[in-house]
């Protein structure tokens, strides 16, 4: 949308009011990614393909959730334990 000051502004509308939450979430994600480029990633868990937006201060996120992080750590622990004995 072109605003009165001549700058392009984001705008959105939905035909179904039940979809307003989804549209707002998509717009918030777009704004976050525009403000933090390179903060979108794919989960590092071998059994997951989810995508995440990294909002951590350091920007070193690797997993979509703690569940995936814990599953990967548990699998690595079991592999080390199996190799050692
Ligand atoms: Zn995951």
């Amino acid at each position: 949308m072109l605003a009165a000051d001549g700058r392009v502004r984001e705008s959105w509308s939905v035909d179904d009011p039940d979809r307003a939450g989804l549209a707002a979430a998509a717009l918030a994600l777009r704004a976050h990614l525009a403000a933090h480029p390179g903060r979108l990633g794919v989960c590092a868990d071998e059994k997951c393909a989810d995508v995440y937006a990294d909002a951590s201060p350091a920007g070193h996120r690797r997993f979509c959730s703690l569940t995936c992080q814990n599953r990967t750590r548990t699998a690595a622990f079991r592999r080390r334990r199996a190799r050692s004995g």
Side-chain angles (χ1 to χ4, degrees), residues 43-45 48-50 63-65 68 71:
C43 183
D45 182 56
C48 180
D50 285 353
F63 299 97
C64 69
S65 66
C68 287
R71 183 174 38 234

Side-chain angles (χ1 to χ4, degrees), residues 37-81:
R39 292 292 188 114
L40 192 64
V42 178
C43 183
D45 182 56
E46 61 189 23
K47 295 182 178 177
C48 180
D50 285 353
V51 176
Y52 59 81
D54 185 358
S56 67
H60 298 305
R61 185 172 176 170
R62 294 178 51 224
F63 299 97
C64 69
S65 66
L66 284 176
T67 300
C68 287
Q69 183 177 4
N70 290 335
R71 183 174 38 234
T72 297
R73 286 182 175 177
T74 301
F77 171 77
R78 289 180 178 158
R79 279 193 299 270
R80 286 193 305 271
R81 189 175 61 181

Side-chain angles (χ1 to χ4, degrees), residues 16-42:
D16 181 358
D18 290 341
R19 308 286 288 181
L22 182 60
L27 192 59
L29 177 61
R30 180 188 176 281
H32 176 80
L33 294 175
H36 307 283
R39 292 292 188 114
L40 192 64
V42 178

